Amino acid sequence: MALMGSSRLELSLLLVLLGASLLPESQCGVTFDKKTIVINGQRKILISGSIHYPRSTPDMWEGLVQKARDGGLDVIQTYVFWNGHEPSPGNYNFEGRYDLVRFIKTVQKAGLYAHLRIGPYVCAEWNFGGFPVWLKFVPGISFRTDNEPFKNAMRGFTQKIVRMMKNESLFESQGGPIILSQIENEYGPESRAFGPAGRSYVNWAAKMAVEMDTGVPWVMCKEDDAPDPVINTCNGFYCDDFAPNKPYKPSMWTEAWSGWFTEFGGTIHERPVEDLAFSVARFILKGGSFVNYYMYHGGTNFGRTAGGPFITTSYDYDAPIDEYGLVREPKYGHLKELHRAIKLCEKALVSADPTFTSLGRYQQAHVFSSQAGGCAAFLENYKTDSYARVIFNNMHYDLPPWSIGILPDCKNVVFNTAKVAAQTSLMQMSTANSESLMWESVDVNPNEGFLRDGQLPSLSVQSAGHALHVFINGQLSCSAFGKRENRRIAYTGDANLRAGTNKLALLSVAVGLPNVGVHYELWSTGVLGPVVLHGIDEGKRDLTWQKWSYQIGLKGESMNLNSVEGTSSVEWMQGSLAVQTQQPMTWYKAYFDAPAGDEPLALDMASMGKGQIWINGEHIGRYWTAQAPKEDCNECNYAGTYRPSKCQSGCSQPTQRWYHVPSSWLQPTKNLMVVFEELGGDATKIALVKRLVSSVCADVSESHPMIKNWHIGNDGKPEEVHRPKVHLHCPYGRTISAIKFASFGTPVGTCGSFEQGACHTPKSYYTLEKRCMGQGRCAVTITNDNFGQDPCPNVLKRLAVEAVCS
């Protein structure tokens, strides 16, 4: 009997152990519920950021992903770019910047998750929205609707990508980093435009994706009718009013726009980090659980990848990591502190639904409280022009305008979206090499001959865009350009005709193919006519239907003039002869050595007009020094709803002057640069420059909230209160060489233009110089003792500093 009892006990213990190891299926892999994405049984608040692999070079990926992790991200999100991977039917490219597997494995190596947006339509201000141009010519095709030729092509590419990820075991269900996939992209407007055919297509796309059995959830962004089990998600500057289409789906924000794209001839759009942080905190306090910054690193539209049309080669997007791979401060640092504060609240956020309490006309509290998750609170002041003092849990809290305070314990404020302690970094472009480049050129224009007297006739040309150059008898007569708002061109100008036969040539230039719109595959680009000659004896002559000869592309490109091998196939003019006339339609080449150091590099193209650049055969992209209008820039106030027209800079300046040159494209000596100039420019003034941090600033209040204080008072034990600090750091290899400004008191102004206020401590400079001079980084606690005295008792003081890095 004793033996039998022992056997029963062992059997019972065995069953318990088996039960512990065999978790229910719902707790393995990636699932979701009404609160969050659930990874291996754990609800998670996920902070994500977009980094598009073709918009940087492979040697940059590891550094970018590591900076993202250091900035508090959990997930890296990327589109998959069909036209880069399948440039012609059945011929695939997964090399270099398009090595998708390498990129995902880089994310995995850093210990982050991945969100793969297969699309395969991407928009993204990318040429043709990511579709290969050959797709347009498939017989009977109609993009993004219930059309069999399109669905067959879309299914084939989607299967190709999914199969590739499975073969490399990259889905989380296989032990990989991919926790989410996306099918289609921002289809809501198209779905409404296409009607029943659009709805049928959405259902088909969702079913097709789910049947691929990736083991991770699929999402559709900006598609309110996403069918189960696909999760519909939000894109926008704000998503706090968003709710998923079913109560059992989590609230997800797949594109929190960190800035905005730029277009040639337009201004630079900047989104204040105070407002970006406010929008993210507001989404979280409404129950949101997944936020992705679009973009976290924007990068560069190399080659002809920019879409739009008229999208610039730079896709910087005012992102936390800039185009060159450097952190943008204070945006990067302030968001990093936001992420830390949100993570302190995570247990409460995933365990309870928020309760709302009014604290005033424009103020409110959102509280997450449960026995399992503890208590976390978000205090909001959405008034745009004044501070508010509120009472919450019998305590007073001061809230700046348009701000949210985060209290992970419902007592201590550890972060406020409008109070920025992260340093500001001022950037400069410094000449990398003092030697002038020796230029040579191929002039593609024939000798000119014109009829110069008499009343000239006129020529009118109608073009669907995007740029037009008119040549009469071999001479450039005029150039005309469309805009992003109206890409069409209606040109009328004098026609310098001569007696006898005249030769008319029209050069049409695309500045990126469209990437968004209903049936954009049917939109035309180029000269469609009419082309009419006016002011001749017969009145006018319609040249549209005369016999024209057509040539596609540049002869110089077909001759491979942009490569080392191709440059020897033609004779180049030497030195000053190549640039003295600044002729249009001219090829230039020069050689240069790579500069010392590891700073990011760029080409200063301010002296040129419009064209393209190659370095050692690699296509940097399009350049165009079109200027932004002078009237659109104004002072930027973070408070209030953000729109791209709100905070603009660069008025009366070229939209893009500097063009990123990846260091991995260079060799130590004799680098070949080839430039094709359409309009005429001074190539002698093209310069290679370095992107440097010239100085760093900080402006911190003595009442700034500190994350280290969040637990004070929770255990009933007295503890020392941590005081705010000013933190300064120069890039690796550079040190603080001078304190340009320092004031503890009531300083005024912003980084680069600080001034002393009515209250100032004379010891300010001495204290900063003692702590920071010669150091790569330093920290100074904001206390009266550190500065020898209280310069103005009963007044809230700040410490403002600007330090020079060299």
Side-chain angles (χ1 to χ4, degrees):
M1 294 292 293
L3 184 60
M4 289 292 293
S6 175
S7 298
R8 288 191 186 120
L9 179 62
E10 290 174 359
L11 179 61
S12 175
L13 179 61
L14 178 62
L15 289 173
V16 169
L17 291 173
L18 285 172
S21 61
L22 296 176
L23 295 172
E25 184 180 354
S26 62
Q27 294 191 9
C28 295
V30 185
T31 59
F32 63 86
D33 60 20
K34 69 173 186 175
K35 292 292 292 180
T36 70
I37 295 295
V38 180
I39 304 176
N40 294 324
Q42 289 190 325
R43 287 175 169 173
K44 290 183 178 290
I45 302 296
L46 295 171
I47 309 297
S48 176
S50 291
I51 300 176
H52 294 162
Y53 53 99
R55 283 176 159 147
S56 54
T57 55
D59 73 299
M60 296 174 64
W61 292 345
E62 185 172 350
L64 293 172
V65 171
Q66 187 60 50
K67 287 184 175 76
R69 176 175 176 168
D70 293 343
L73 267 57
D74 307 295
V75 185
I76 300 297
Q77 182 191 89
T78 185
Y79 282 123
V80 178
F81 298 84
W82 189 357
N83 54 7
H85 291 303
E86 193 177 4
S88 59
N91 295 312
Y92 293 99
N93 172 28
F94 289 94
E95 304 294 329
R97 298 196 335 272
Y98 292 97
D99 192 341
L100 175 59
V101 168
R102 176 178 172 183
F103 180 76
I104 299 298
K105 288 185 175 180
T106 300
V107 173
Q108 183 179 29
K109 181 181 177 182
L112 298 180
Y113 297 120
H115 178 198
L116 194 65
R117 307 176 82 186
I118 299 176
Y121 168 73
V122 301
C123 186
E125 293 72 57
W126 187 265
N127 194 52
F128 217 42
F131 288 146
V133 175
W134 58 259
L135 193 67
K136 171 187 174 78
F137 301 102
V138 172
I141 201 164
S142 183
F143 286 7
R144 305 178 72 200
T145 187
D146 191 11
N147 172 267
E148 290 304 318
F150 178 76
K151 291 192 296 183
N152 289 337
M154 175 176 168
R155 182 192 296 110
F157 181 73
T158 304
Q159 287 175 335
K160 173 79 174 179
I161 298 301
V162 169
R163 195 158 44 239
M164 178 178 290
M165 297 300 103
K166 285 185 175 181
N167 289 343
E168 297 289 338
S169 299
L170 292 176
F171 287 106
E172 203 282 338
S173 55
Q174 304 171 290
I178 301 173
I179 58 169
L180 291 166
S181 295
Q182 178 176 303
I183 196 70
E184 249 299 332
N185 186 59
E186 298 185 325
Y187 191 68
E190 276 70 16
S191 179
R192 291 187 289 272
F194 286 130
R199 183 66 197 148
S200 176
Y201 166 70
V202 165
N203 290 332
W204 168 86
K207 184 174 183 291
M208 180 267 290
V210 172
E211 286 178 349
M212 292 191 181
D213 192 26
T214 62
V216 303
W218 289 83
V219 304
M220 283 184 172
C221 64
K222 290 182 72 173
E223 176 46 69
D224 294 339
D225 296 328
D228 287 353
V230 176
I231 307 168
N232 64 305
T233 65
C234 184
N235 292 356
F237 289 115
Y238 306 92
C239 280
D240 48 281
D241 289 334
F242 170 78
N245 60 17
K246 296 291 174 60
Y248 44 80
K249 296 179 182 180
S251 184
M252 300 176 63
W253 191 0
T254 38
E255 291 188 17
W257 297 332
S258 59
W260 202 239
F261 57 82
T262 53
E263 56 194 84
F264 286 117
T267 54
I268 307 300
H269 306 283
E270 299 170 349
R271 186 176 188 186
V273 68
E274 298 94 329
D275 177 68
L276 180 57
F278 177 81
S279 69
V280 171
R282 205 173 193 184
F283 180 71
I284 296 294
L285 68 81
K286 291 290 186 72
S289 60
F290 179 97
V291 178
N292 176 78
Y293 296 102
Y294 186 99
M295 300 292 295
Y296 199 75
H297 163 72
T300 306
N301 292 318
F302 295 112
R304 292 186 174 94
T305 59
F310 299 105
I311 299 299
T312 56
T313 299
S314 171
Y315 199 65
D316 182 84
Y317 222 87
D318 197 36
I321 304 175
D322 73 11
E323 176 183 6
Y324 299 85
L326 302 177
V327 295
R328 171 174 278 111
E329 297 287 18
K331 183 167 280 190
Y332 175 89
H334 192 55
L335 293 178
K336 178 178 180 178
E337 292 300 303
L338 168 66
H339 305 154
R340 290 179 64 190
I342 291 172
K343 290 296 184 178
L344 289 175
C345 304
E346 184 174 33
K347 192 173 181 180
L349 293 172
V350 303
S351 302
D353 293 326
T355 59
F356 163 81
T357 303
S358 175
L359 303 177
R361 184 176 180 184
Y362 298 98
Q363 296 79 37
Q364 51 195 12
H366 292 259
V367 180
F368 296 78
S369 181
S370 69
Q371 187 173 358
C375 186
F378 294 74
L379 307 184
E380 178 182 16
N381 175 20
Y382 55 91
K383 190 169 178 57
T384 61
D385 58 1
S386 64
Y387 272 74
R389 168 162 280 200
V390 300
I391 298 176
F392 174 71
N393 283 351
N394 299 316
M395 296 179 66
H396 285 92
Y397 297 90
D398 293 319
L399 300 174
W402 197 254
S403 77
I404 296 172
I406 301 179
L407 296 70
D409 56 0
C410 287
K411 294 180 181 179
N412 296 291
V413 178
V414 302
F415 181 87
N416 184 282
T417 58
K419 293 184 176 181
V420 180
Q423 76 174 26
T424 297
S425 298
L426 297 181
M427 311 302 296
Q428 72 174 27
M429 306 302 274
S430 176
T431 302
N433 195 329
S434 60
E435 295 181 4
S436 297
L437 297 170
M438 292 299 296
W439 291 95
E440 308 169 40
S441 70
V442 171
D443 185 355
V444 298
N445 291 312
N447 294 328
E448 51 185 68
F450 307 98
L451 183 64
R452 297 186 180 277
D453 52 7
Q455 183 66 39
L456 294 176
S458 64
L459 179 71
S460 63
V461 181
Q462 299 292 320
S463 171
H466 308 130
L468 174 70
H469 304 295
V470 179
F471 292 85
I472 298 177
N473 295 322
Q475 181 183 359
L476 179 62
S477 178
C478 188
S479 297
F481 309 96
K483 296 182 178 179
R484 181 171 168 80
E485 298 78 14
N486 182 14
R487 63 199 63 165
R488 293 185 174 274
I489 300 168
Y491 164 79
T492 300
D494 290 342
N496 290 294
L497 302 182
R498 63 189 179 196
T501 301
N502 289 270
K503 184 176 182 180
L504 172 64
L506 305 176
L507 177 59
S508 181
V509 183
V511 191
L513 296 179
N515 57 267
V516 65
V518 176
H519 281 314
Y520 70 79
E521 73 273 17
L522 302 179
W523 297 359
S524 299
T525 300
V527 178
L528 303 179
V531 179
V532 181
L533 191 62
H534 303 267
I536 56 178
D537 289 344
E538 60 191 82
K540 66 178 182 179
R541 180 180 301 171
D542 190 343
L543 306 178
T544 308
W545 304 109
Q546 290 196 201
K547 186 176 181 180
W548 294 79
S549 60
Y550 289 85
Q551 178 179 318
I552 299 174
L554 294 168
K555 186 175 182 180
E557 278 195 274
S558 66
M559 296 171 65
N560 211 20
L561 294 186
N562 54 351
S563 70
V564 175
E565 297 79 10
T567 56
S568 60
S569 64
V570 295
E571 183 178 352
W572 297 77
M573 295 169 59
Q574 295 288 331
S576 61
L577 289 176
V579 294
Q580 64 184 3
T581 56
Q582 300 186 23
Q583 292 189 15
M585 301 299 159
T586 302
W587 289 86
Y588 298 95
K589 77 167 183 178
Y591 291 92
F592 65 96
D593 294 340
D598 58 0
E599 298 87 352
L601 301 174
L603 285 173
D604 184 348
M605 302 297 290
S607 65
M608 304 300 283
K610 179 178 180 295
Q612 299 181 61
I613 313 164
W614 292 264
I615 301 287
N616 294 328
E618 298 282 359
H619 197 174
I620 296 293
R622 302 182 182 97
Y623 70 87
W624 192 0
T625 53
Q627 290 196 345
K630 64 180 180 180
E631 68 275 1
D632 291 339
C633 295
N634 44 46
E635 290 189 12
C636 179
N637 181 1
Y638 78 86
T641 302
Y642 177 79
R643 291 292 180 265
S645 58
K646 183 177 179 182
C647 294
Q648 301 180 84
S649 64
C651 287
S652 302
Q653 300 293 324
T655 303
Q656 185 173 354
R657 173 178 175 177
W658 294 287
Y659 294 80
H660 181 205
V661 178
S663 299
S664 60
W665 289 2
L666 300 183
Q667 52 200 27
T669 60
K670 205 171 176 56
N671 293 282
L672 172 66
M673 183 195 316
V674 174
V675 174
F676 176 73
E677 170 62 42
E678 292 179 28
L679 307 179
D682 186 353
T684 62
K685 295 180 180 178
I686 295 176
L688 188 67
V689 297
K690 293 182 176 182
R691 186 165 175 82
L692 304 172
V693 175
S694 58
S695 59
V696 293
C697 302
D699 185 1
V700 183
S701 164
E702 61 180 346
S703 67
H704 189 83
M706 295 286 292
I707 283 183
K708 289 183 178 180
N709 292 331
W710 78 275
H711 61 282
I712 288 180
N714 289 341
D715 55 7
K717 298 179 181 178
E719 294 189 45
E720 180 184 357
V721 175
H722 296 276
R723 300 295 180 186
K725 295 180 180 180
V726 157
H727 293 268
L728 300 173
H729 63 272
C730 293
Y732 178 78
R734 295 167 70 82
T735 59
I736 296 173
S737 58
I739 301 298
K740 195 172 181 179
F741 179 88
S743 178
F744 176 57
T746 57
V748 296
T750 57
C751 184
S753 60
F754 285 132
E755 294 180 1
Q756 293 179 12
C759 170
H760 169 72
T761 305
K763 199 177 176 182
S764 301
Y765 276 90
Y766 171 78
T767 301
L768 267 297
E769 287 174 345
K770 181 180 178 181
R771 299 288 181 88
C772 299
M773 286 288 288
Q775 304 297 314
R777 59 176 58 238
C778 65
V780 178
T781 305
I782 305 174
T783 62
N784 291 328
D785 292 343
N786 259 344
F787 293 91
Q789 65 183 75
D790 185 344
C792 38
N794 302 318
V795 173
L796 184 64
K797 292 169 283 294
R798 302 186 348 262
L799 174 58
V801 185
E802 181 175 354
V804 177
C805 293
S806 63

